[in-house]
Amino acid sequence: MPKISRYLTALLGVTGCIGLLVTGEINPVMAAGGLAIIPGYYRVLRGREAAPAWVIGAASLLTLGVFAFDSIVSGDVFLAVAHLTITFQAIKSYDLKEPWDHLQVYFMSLLQMVIGSEMSQSVVFGVVFVLFLVSLVAAMVFAHFVKEGRGAHIRLARPIVVISLLSVTVTSAFFVVLPRSSYTFLGKSHTKGIRTTGFSDRVDFGSFGEIKRDSTVVMRVELDPDIPAPYYWRGMSLDYFDGTEWRNSSPRQSRIEKSGDEYVLNPHGRSGLVEQKIYLEPIDSDAIFGLTEIMGIRVDSFSARSDSGGAVFLSRKSSRRVNYSVLSEVRDDYPGVASPRYLQLPRGMERIRELARTVTSLGRSDGEKARMIERYLKRNYSYSLEPSPPVRGRGLIEDFLFYGRKGFCEHFATSMVLMLRAVGIPARIVNGYCGGEKNQYGGYLIVRQSDAHSWVEALIGGQWRRFDPTPAVAAPQIPSLALFLDSLKMAWARYVVGFKTDDQKAILRALSSLLASPSFPAVGWKRLRMYGLLITLIGIALASALLLLRGVKAGRHGFASRKYLAMRKLIGVRGRRAGATTPGEVMRMSQGSSVEEEIREFLGMYVEDRFGKRPMMPSERKRYGLLLKSIRTGLKKRRG
Amino acid sequence: MNNNMINPFIKQLKEQINSVIRGKESAVKMAIVALLGRGNLLIEDVPGVGKTTLASALARATDCSFQRIQFTSDLMPSDIIGVSIFNHDTREFEFKPGPVFCNIVLADEINRTNPKTQSALLEAMNEKRVTVEKKTFRLPEPFMVIATQNPMEYHGTFPLPESQLDRFMLHIKLGYPEAEYEKMAVLGGPSFLILDKTDPVVSRQDILRMQAEADGVMVDDSLVDYMMEIVSRTRKDDRIRLGVSTRGAQFLLYAVRALAYYEGRQFAVPDDVKELSPLVLGHRIILKTAKFTADAERIVREIVEEVPVPV
Amino acid sequence: MKQRTITREGKRFLVAAFLIAVAAVNTGNNLIYLMLSLMLSFLLLSEVLLNINMKDLSLEVFHPAPLFASEEAVVTVVLRNNKRRIVTYSVSCMPSGALRPAYFVKVGPRGKEEQDVGVLFPQRGLYRHGHFPLRSGYPFILLAKTRRIAVEGSVLVYPALRDVSGIIGEGGSGRADAARRSESGDDMYALREFRHGDDWRKIHWKASARTGELYVKEYAEYESEKVTIVLDNLLPEGGALFEKAVSLAASLARYFIENGCFVRVVSSGKIISFGKGEEHLFTILDILAVIREEETWGSPAQDGRDGFFITVMKSRRHSNPYAATGEAVYAEDL
């Protein structure tokens, strides 16, 4: 194999293994055999012989044994396969004989990349994939020449670039058209969830400060139609407070009926609804989010459930990345039914009850009272991520309301719920995310851990109305590069990892409508914007491939030669014999012409540049061009 | 095209020779090119058109020693390269160099002698040395053979075998001078009278230096390809039984360099190749039917007209 | 005209693609679909690019030097790429008689490349070029395609030449010696009296001065340098013996021509009259390359003694009108 192939192989083989290692999931003991890859490729690069077959065979058998042990003991076949590929990569580095062996290394490292991406579905895979594709094209082309017995010294850069571009195009075309199955059979996921989440089934007042500083993206949302802020991404509501934490007193969940491809929570017509396409990162909960009031959900899942508090759960969702779309009728209140659960109070609430009464004494209706409590909390307490720890013996909320007067959203929301309940208004706390920043690069919202929020819902006049007693805090500014990178991640998650049958249909529809009517389709165009971008990219790829091919032709003649050919045509050298005409013959043909001297000088400059290997200076180029011009006009004059 | 500085030595040389032998500019040019390219010249023509004058004029103008050998059927190899004679005084064999030991040798009517004598000369000119009784003698530098050959149709000749013809760089014809020049030649008296008045204009050292400089003339890769294409087409032509050998291609390259140098250029151009190809390659091919080298030259000319010139 | 084969690597690649497809359907992981797409695109590109690579190619075959049977020689294969823009890579071609295929690494758009390949034709004769297979597996090692391309023209393979100095008898070698001596000019053949019309330069002055008569040097005359090679190509069939006989006749022709003789070849149906020099040798070889056995002796029984005669017979069992004149050599002795 030529040197370049050996380097390519070593690079790809080692990269595949490292790609797995960086996921952090690899058990160092099980993958220890992979260390042999270092001396292995050292030998390959030094051009040593492959190891004898029996050694390879024995090592492979041993590895398979370890694999069996690994998969039984750990119970995780997926991880065991990852370990297996690392060890096999190492073994293969001692067994590189023919082109096929090298190809095996490439495909093994691609497999490793896929395993790695399954563990962390990162956009890095996309970059690595393109690099991999180019290397694979290069390796295959080299392998072909090696097979023909011509290893070295062939200039292949151009064909490799062209084939790679073609290959990227064809691969994306295949990716788009390959039929997808909607359900998976062996879909055990290995994606790592966000461990410390701002959202959970319960609310305690633990490490909330940390979460508010965590800028990890929780979800990305596309809104259709675009509506203005505020955005309250409702997760689940909790009704039972024991003095230190919130819980749900009725965890019973019921199945949501499915109609067509949609789980319908409330029967609805399509008009006036806001669709939210949400790409939710893995979190420690099965709950999903949406703007109130959620009417229907479209998602690829076995079942969806809801509880009495209006939360929606997907089965086996917690550790998966999921994309779904929510149809909501966006409003601040929606119908609800009163229940004694929403008036529950823990013991020792006298002082708070007192305060609530004082605050609402002037209120004439439940609505007014609620608004007064909200205003009271907003104005008299300040927001802080580091509230002073409560004094022993005092309740958490009591401490906040009467001593510390500083806290974060959960303090405010809890206080408000308790105060509402104290004055007899049914209320509950709602957990979710609030806000989200617009990413102008992708036209979507980014919702982060730091957007985790708690707010209040009060049942007033048979309607659940939303209140947010937490004072506003200035959001930190995110640099635009970070936003741009985030849009790439979004695109990757949306258009590659989250590619669905729906998207195929959309593309097909768009294409057929493009074919059917010359005007752009009015409906669904926005949805296709990303594909428009994709098509543009493919177009650019094809165009550059063509340019490279053209370059062959354009590069055939240099500046001097092109002008010379034009001049030769002017003199009247055409036809079959033109090719065999020398500059000297051109000179003889133009003897006696009025521009003979110009032609002489022109030809002199030409041969010196072309055959004398003395390229023209810029000034000479100018002169050369001028000579051609005057020859042209001179000859025209004669004809005229 | 002619904005190049003509080498003053060459200019003088050219003028000097042309003043002796009138109306043969292209033959004079080719003779100088052969000299610059360290090649040998084969002139084919009927007797009495000035072959001898050209050769001796070249020799005199370059301050080179000159010998004319009239080839006859009974000429022996030793008549050319020399003999070892027993010296009674020293009691040793002493080498007495033949006429080949000079800078410019005119081998007149080379096809009149037998093949053995022919090859003795050709070997000497090829290897630039002579071996007699296991002793090797180097020929002087510069060394050039100008051979003349009567056209084949003349009876009683031994045509040079193809392998020998191959050793000449250039094969030219003089042709009868144009009437005007012929009149001048007649009025100007016998050419040897003018010859006597010819003074050397360049030294032998100058010639050697110019030969070295001509070696440095740059030939673009595309021109080499152009030459190779011409050569390879001679091997594929239907009319040709045996095409040009690799040696022929090499000679073409040397000749092209020499011609470029003659024209005062440091680099070769396509015109050099096109002009020289018939003269360098014509005598190196064997035609399937025709008997005369004139046809060969014409066919090479036709081939060259078909080959695309690099631009 | 076209023929596609899947290479060993290609088959393995297909199996791998199938496994990946199963994995993709099972897991529904789009990244595995991406990998499957990549493999499918490689297969598709293999086919498409290979077709483009093999398109618009033309082939010419030249024989720069004469070819002799069972003697290795060189043919020049010229591959032309008539495509306007696209470079053709890695094409091999197997001309008839070639010992190994001609391999072209790269042929530029509207360009051509030459390759010299060793050829060996076991039999003399005229070979039509016909269709030559062109093979390529570019760009990947997954597929290979063979395409037959028509090549114009034909090649003439001359009979095998062998050393004959040991075969011919004294008469023949003596004739060659004489001819050679006369050419070399070392020795005179004889001295004779000056006759009217003799070249004055031939006068041997020493002898003339001694005798007082004019003597001229006499060189070997053309008459005595004439050699007639008779090839017995009368039926019944000689098979391999006849081939040997043809080869022997050709070798004899070369031997005598190299020694400066005037050579004539007489056979049934074909007579090549006297001539000398390499060109004449090729005239003889042209005929001998395609000569066949005839039923009757069509050539006129010649004037008998016109120089030296040497007859090439297939075997002693065969008869020939010329067998009695001059020397005879037998193919069966070889």
Side-chain angles (χ1 to χ4, degrees):
Chain A
M1 295 298 277
K3 218 172 190 174
I4 175 132
S5 306
R6 282 186 277 150
Y7 275 96
L8 269 175
T9 309
L11 181 74
L12 283 170
V14 174
T15 311
C17 293
I18 290 175
L20 275 186
L21 281 180
V22 293
T23 60
E25 302 274 310
I26 298 300
N27 181 341
V29 178
M30 287 301 166
L35 279 177
I37 200 169
I38 297 165
Y41 277 115
Y42 178 77
R43 291 178 73 243
V44 170
L45 295 183
R46 298 300 293 268
R48 306 266 172 80
E49 283 289 297
W54 66 269
V55 175
I56 302 296
S60 305
L61 269 181
L62 187 70
T63 311
L64 284 176
V66 170
F67 168 68
F69 172 79
D70 186 8
S71 46
I72 289 163
V73 168
S74 71
D76 191 342
V77 183
F78 191 80
L79 206 58
V81 169
H83 297 153
L84 183 73
T85 59
I86 292 180
T87 324
F88 265 148
Q89 279 286 31
I91 293 175
K92 202 72 211 170
S93 70
Y94 293 87
D95 189 29
L96 294 172
K97 280 178 284 203
E98 40 177 333
W100 174 247
D101 293 319
H102 290 254
L103 285 190
Q104 274 182 320
V105 171
Y106 302 142
F107 281 99
M108 204 126 68
S109 63
L110 186 57
L111 183 66
Q112 289 178 319
M113 224 101 62
V114 169
I115 294 172
S117 72
E118 176 67 23
M119 289 175 177
S120 62
Q121 300 189 331
S122 141
V123 69
V124 175
F125 179 80
V127 179
V128 174
F129 181 79
V130 172
L131 287 179
F132 176 83
L133 185 143
V134 175
S135 326
L136 190 62
V137 167
M140 300 262 278
V141 172
F142 279 123
H144 165 76
F145 281 100
V146 168
K147 206 181 164 196
E148 294 286 353
R150 307 294 161 110
H153 312 305
I154 309 168
R155 292 174 164 274
L156 290 173
R158 197 191 295 275
I160 285 172
V161 170
V162 171
I163 296 173
S164 299
L165 286 172
L166 286 174
S167 186
V168 167
T169 316
V170 177
T171 301
S172 21
F174 268 118
F175 180 75
V176 168
V177 300
L178 277 182
R180 301 297 205 282
S181 56
S182 34
Y183 297 112
T184 58
F185 308 112
L186 291 171
K188 194 183 179 208
S189 175
H190 281 262
T191 315
K192 274 189 291 178
I194 298 170
R195 301 276 188 229
T196 50
T197 173
F199 179 86
S200 68
D201 299 358
R202 301 190 297 192
V203 170
D204 55 32
F205 294 83
S207 54
F208 201 80
E210 272 174 45
I211 287 159
K212 286 301 276 187
R213 288 192 198 93
D214 183 357
S215 64
T216 310
V217 174
V218 173
M219 55 184 185
R220 299 181 175 85
V221 186
E222 287 177 304
L223 282 173
D224 180 28
D226 207 357
I227 53 161
Y231 310 112
Y232 282 91
W233 310 105
R234 192 177 191 278
M236 58 196 293
S237 66
L238 302 171
D239 54 13
Y240 183 84
F241 186 65
D242 64 1
T244 50
E245 70 176 39
W246 282 95
R247 269 187 285 120
N248 206 342
S249 62
S250 78
R252 202 179 58 83
Q253 299 178 351
S254 57
R255 269 190 105 98
I256 307 173
E257 286 298 308
K258 198 172 186 183
S259 149
D261 60 345
E262 185 181 330
Y263 292 99
V264 182
L265 282 105
N266 291 307
H268 59 86
R270 276 294 164 101
S271 61
L273 298 187
V274 175
E275 188 182 4
Q276 308 129 61
K277 270 198 204 134
I278 298 177
Y279 306 91
L280 183 61
E281 296 293 322
I283 54 169
D284 285 350
S285 168
D286 281 345
I288 58 172
F289 304 87
L291 296 174
T292 47
E293 178 194 8
I294 298 175
M295 310 301 276
I297 292 166
R298 261 181 261 155
V299 66
D300 177 17
S301 175
F302 284 124
S303 69
R305 293 166 175 279
S306 64
D307 67 3
S308 56
V312 181
F313 304 90
L314 297 181
S315 62
R316 290 194 356 209
K317 129 106 215 10
S318 62
S319 60
R320 273 194 297 153
R321 174 181 283 114
V322 69
N323 44 8
Y324 57 94
S325 75
V326 177
L327 288 166
S328 304
E329 202 180 325
V330 178
R331 52 188 179 187
D332 285 345
D333 46 17
Y334 59 96
V337 184
S339 154
R341 293 192 286 136
Y342 300 128
L343 289 169
Q344 174 265 342
L345 280 171
R347 269 167 301 150
M349 288 286 121
E350 287 71 30
R351 213 171 158 189
I352 295 172
R353 203 186 293 267
E354 192 77 9
L355 177 70
R357 283 214 191 94
T358 322
V359 170
T360 59
S361 57
L362 291 174
R364 278 164 299 183
S365 69
D366 282 0
E368 251 177 50
K369 283 178 185 166
R371 219 164 291 125
M372 286 166 110
I373 297 172
E374 186 188 38
R375 206 180 316 133
Y376 171 79
L377 288 170
K378 249 188 185 152
R379 287 196 181 155
N380 297 302
Y381 297 85
S382 56
Y383 187 88
S384 166
L385 285 177
E386 282 138 357
S388 44
V391 178
R392 204 176 253 281
R394 279 202 293 254
L396 202 82
I397 296 305
E398 201 185 330
D399 189 75
F400 165 69
L401 283 175
F402 303 111
Y403 303 97
R405 303 179 87 87
K406 274 181 189 168
F408 41 81
C409 56
E410 310 212 332
H411 294 99
F412 286 91
T414 307
S415 302
M416 182 165 176
V417 171
L418 293 180
M419 284 166 84
L420 283 170
R421 286 181 180 181
V423 294
I425 303 171
R428 59 189 181 191
I429 192 165
V430 180
N431 278 353
Y433 293 89
C434 176
E437 71 209 273
K438 265 253 153 64
N439 188 334
Q440 69 267 33
Y441 296 103
Y444 62 95
L445 289 170
I446 303 171
V447 179
R448 299 171 188 278
Q449 281 281 62
S450 53
D451 293 323
H453 195 49
S454 294
W455 62 92
V456 175
E457 276 177 357
L459 190 66
I460 294 163
Q463 299 271 331
W464 282 113
R465 196 179 291 171
R466 188 179 65 224
F467 294 93
D468 189 352
T470 313
V473 209
Q477 201 66 41
I478 311 273
S480 72
L481 178 67
L483 283 179
F484 178 71
L485 288 180
D486 189 84
S487 74
L488 285 183
K489 280 187 195 165
M490 168 73 175
W492 177 254
R494 166 69 188 84
Y495 296 101
V496 181
V497 179
F499 191 80
K500 283 182 305 195
T501 320
D502 272 6
D503 299 305
Q504 289 179 323
K505 285 182 193 155
I507 290 172
L508 212 67
R509 266 201 301 277
L511 285 180
S512 57
S513 62
L514 267 180
L515 288 176
S517 66
S519 64
F520 278 177
V523 190
W525 183 243
K526 192 187 170 205
R527 184 175 186 182
L528 283 168
R529 211 168 42 184
M530 202 61 206
Y531 289 112
L533 190 71
L534 200 75
I535 289 163
T536 318
L537 280 176
I538 289 171
I540 291 170
L542 280 177
S544 37
L546 278 179
L547 261 179
L548 276 170
L549 287 176
R550 251 174 190 285
V552 176
K553 203 189 168 227
R556 212 171 63 190
H557 298 305
F559 169 78
S561 298
R562 281 201 302 277
K563 291 259 191 284
Y564 164 69
L565 286 175
M567 204 290 271
R568 204 171 73 178
K569 230 178 215 170
L570 282 177
I571 298 294
V573 183
R574 287 159 212 265
R576 206 171 60 85
R577 285 286 165 90
T581 311
T582 60
E585 284 163 345
V586 172
M587 186 67 240
R588 280 194 283 283
M589 287 171 75
S590 50
Q591 247 151 29
S593 122
S594 58
V595 283
E596 189 184 330
E597 274 319 302
E598 282 89 341
I599 291 174
R600 189 184 304 281
E601 189 182 346
F602 181 90
L603 290 173
M605 290 178 82
Y606 161 67
V607 293
E608 192 153 349
D609 174 282
R610 176 62 183 79
F611 300 102
K613 281 280 155 56
R614 204 186 64 75
M616 292 182 197
M617 309 294 234
S619 62
E620 288 171 314
R621 277 176 170 240
K622 211 170 181 184
R623 171 88 186 132
Y624 190 62
L626 281 175
L627 280 170
L628 180 59
K629 223 174 254 172
S630 58
I631 291 168
R632 182 174 287 136
T633 47
L635 288 174
K636 248 184 214 153
K637 222 177 276 165
R638 190 194 57 188
R639 247 174 254 140
Chain B
M1 289 293 292
N2 292 329
N3 53 352
N4 316 293
M5 291 291 292
I6 298 283
N7 189 316
F9 291 102
I10 289 176
K11 190 164 176 274
Q12 284 181 3
L13 189 58
K14 198 164 79 175
E15 281 168 3
Q16 185 78 317
I17 302 171
N18 278 327
S19 69
V20 177
I21 171 166
R22 306 281 175 92
K24 299 266 195 298
E25 266 94 2
S26 65
V28 170
K29 176 168 151 187
M30 288 308 150
I32 298 174
V33 166
L35 180 64
L36 291 173
R38 297 195 183 88
N40 303 295
L41 186 66
L42 179 64
I43 306 176
E44 177 168 320
D45 240 322
V46 290
V49 289
K51 291 172 286 198
T52 315
T53 318
L54 172 64
S56 49
L58 182 65
R60 275 174 184 272
T62 52
D63 191 23
C64 285
S65 56
F66 173 69
Q67 282 283 356
R68 176 176 177 277
I69 309 169
Q70 176 64 52
F71 279 62
T72 56
S73 53
D74 51 357
L75 196 72
M76 305 283 231
S78 56
D79 294 340
I80 297 169
I81 56 179
V83 281
S84 287
I85 295 169
F86 188 73
N87 187 327
H88 284 281
D89 299 336
T90 58
R91 305 215 144 257
E92 268 177 358
F93 277 97
E94 208 170 70
F95 181 66
K96 208 166 167 338
V100 79
F101 283 86
C102 68
N103 298 117
I104 294 179
V105 179
L106 175 65
D108 221 354
E109 296 187 282
I110 192 168
N111 54 343
R112 286 230 173 264
T113 195
N114 53 70
K116 198 168 178 179
T117 314
Q118 285 174 351
S119 57
L121 171 73
L122 294 167
E123 273 164 43
M125 92 187 191
N126 205 39
E127 287 155 26
K128 311 252 159 161
R129 64 179 180 205
V130 165
T131 305
V132 179
E133 280 156 18
K134 289 175 191 162
K135 273 190 200 149
T136 301
F137 302 92
R138 290 199 66 80
L139 293 173
E141 294 245 21
F143 179 78
M144 177 184 183
V145 172
I146 300 175
T148 73
Q149 166 162 269
N150 288 335
M152 300 282 187
E153 52 265 62
Y154 278 65
H155 189 70
T157 57
F158 297 92
L160 282 174
E162 291 77 14
S163 59
Q164 312 276 33
L165 273 174
D166 213 19
R167 296 182 175 165
F168 288 95
M169 175 184 263
L170 287 162
H171 178 210
I172 60 167
K173 285 182 198 65
L174 282 180
Y176 290 101
E178 285 169 33
E180 196 181 325
Y181 289 114
E182 201 170 6
K183 201 168 88 190
M184 276 168 68
V186 173
L187 291 176
S191 53
F192 56 84
L193 289 181
I194 310 170
L195 266 178
D196 284 342
K197 285 182 260 166
T198 311
D199 292 320
V201 288
V202 294
S203 68
R204 266 171 297 184
Q205 248 50 47
D206 291 330
I207 297 287
L208 291 176
R209 181 179 48 77
M210 289 195 285
Q211 284 178 341
E213 283 172 4
D215 286 342
V217 164
M218 191 172 64
V219 182
D220 192 78
D221 280 351
S222 63
L223 279 180
V224 177
D225 291 343
Y226 180 47
M227 288 184 240
M228 291 316 292
E229 177 65 24
I230 293 171
V231 166
S232 90
R233 286 209 190 185
T234 66
R235 295 176 190 165
K236 295 167 197 163
D237 199 286
D238 287 340
R239 299 163 288 186
I240 298 173
R241 193 188 294 280
L242 258 181
V244 175
S245 62
T246 317
R247 192 214 297 247
Q250 232 165 21
F251 269 124
L252 182 57
L253 178 65
Y254 298 151
V256 161
R257 281 197 181 125
L259 178 58
Y261 184 81
Y262 174 89
E263 301 280 11
R265 273 184 268 109
Q266 286 307 303
F267 55 90
V269 297
D271 287 285
D272 300 336
V273 179
K274 200 166 184 177
E275 182 175 354
L276 285 171
S277 291
L279 307 181
V280 178
L281 307 180
H283 59 291
R284 293 168 203 278
I285 59 175
I286 299 179
L287 297 179
K288 276 190 177 148
T289 52
K291 292 262 188 276
F292 310 117
T293 45
D295 291 323
E297 202 183 304
R298 180 179 52 79
I299 284 170
V300 172
R301 223 173 270 284
E302 284 172 16
I303 288 171
V304 172
E305 277 306 330
E306 294 286 329
V307 180
V309 172
V311 286
Chain C
M1 291 307 253
K2 280 187 191 172
Q3 195 187 327
R4 182 194 306 103
T5 47
I6 300 175
T7 61
R8 197 167 49 117
E9 285 83 0
K11 283 174 190 153
R12 291 173 181 182
F13 192 90
L14 274 179
V15 171
F18 179 74
L19 290 178
I20 296 278
V22 169
V25 170
N26 269 351
T27 61
N29 187 328
N30 267 320
L31 299 181
I32 300 182
Y33 272 106
L34 194 58
M35 192 168 155
L36 177 64
S37 307
L38 171 77
M39 297 186 90
L40 291 179
S41 89
F42 270 43
L43 285 170
L44 181 72
L45 284 179
S46 262
E47 170 69 20
V48 172
L49 293 180
L50 185 53
N51 268 332
I52 294 174
N53 200 42
M54 299 284 273
K55 229 178 78 179
D56 291 335
L57 296 180
S58 61
L59 203 61
E60 288 160 75
V61 176
F62 299 105
H63 301 270
L67 296 175
F68 294 92
S70 56
E71 188 179 298
E72 209 182 311
V74 165
V75 295
T76 307
V77 184
V78 179
L79 185 68
R80 266 177 212 282
N81 176 6
N82 303 318
K83 291 188 280 289
R84 288 165 57 91
R85 299 268 160 86
I86 298 165
V87 185
T88 283
Y89 287 93
S90 183
V91 176
S92 62
C93 162
M94 191 77 180
S96 52
L99 299 169
R100 59 169 182 85
Y103 180 72
F104 300 89
V105 170
K106 178 181 175 182
V107 189
R110 296 194 166 176
K112 56 159 202 166
E113 285 297 321
E114 287 186 21
Q115 272 282 318
D116 287 347
V117 205
V119 285
L120 186 77
F121 288 93
Q123 292 280 315
R124 73 190 167 91
L126 186 69
Y127 292 82
R128 300 231 166 273
H129 286 328
H131 290 91
F132 287 0
L134 271 187
R135 208 194 120 269
S136 179
Y138 180 83
F140 306 131
I141 47 177
L142 306 177
L143 297 178
K145 190 162 275 191
T146 307
R147 203 184 130 194
R148 297 193 156 267
I149 283 198
V151 177
E152 296 278 311
S154 53
V155 55
L156 192 61
V157 178
Y158 297 129
L161 293 182
R162 53 186 90 213
D163 185 22
V164 289
S165 50
I167 297 167
I168 47 174
E170 286 218 345
S173 54
R175 194 61 49 137
D177 281 346
R180 194 167 51 239
R181 209 171 323 116
S182 80
E183 284 223 329
S184 71
D186 267 7
D187 300 297
M188 290 166 290
Y189 194 60
L191 279 177
R192 62 168 173 79
E193 272 184 61
F194 184 81
R195 287 199 289 255
H196 182 70
D198 277 340
D199 190 345
W200 59 272
R201 285 186 299 189
K202 280 189 174 180
I203 292 170
H204 194 266
W205 294 108
K206 276 185 191 162
S208 305
R210 255 203 314 275
T211 57
E213 297 282 329
L214 278 179
Y215 275 91
V216 289
K217 293 172 277 192
E218 178 151 87
Y219 297 97
E221 281 294 325
Y222 295 151
E223 278 306 303
S224 53
E225 294 164 17
K226 281 181 177 172
V227 174
T228 302
I229 299 168
V230 182
L231 173 63
D232 172 39
N233 61 336
L234 264 183
L235 287 167
E237 251 177 75
L241 276 185
F242 177 62
E243 289 304 318
K244 273 186 187 170
V246 173
S247 155
L248 197 53
S251 312
L252 286 171
R254 180 182 63 164
Y255 175 77
F256 286 113
I257 281 178
E258 275 184 352
N259 281 299
C261 296
F262 284 78
V263 176
R264 171 173 70 166
V265 174
V266 176
S267 69
S268 168
K270 280 263 170 11
I271 293 180
I272 306 150
S273 49
F274 286 112
K276 73 188 283 187
E278 201 168 344
E279 281 187 24
H280 186 65
L281 175 62
F282 280 108
T283 314
I284 295 171
L285 290 175
D286 280 347
I287 303 288
L288 291 183
V290 292
I291 199 163
R292 275 197 291 259
E293 287 166 291
E294 305 280 344
E295 245 172 81
T296 54
W297 190 260
S299 308
Q302 280 268 339
D303 37 32
R305 305 242 51 95
D306 194 0
F308 175 72
F309 271 66
I310 185 159
T311 310
V312 182
M313 301 294 293
K314 285 179 272 189
S315 76
R316 288 182 175 77
R317 280 171 289 112
H318 291 77
S319 63
N320 186 282
Y322 284 91
T325 51
E327 277 180 24
V329 288
Y330 297 92
E332 63 179 350
D333 293 349
L334 286 173

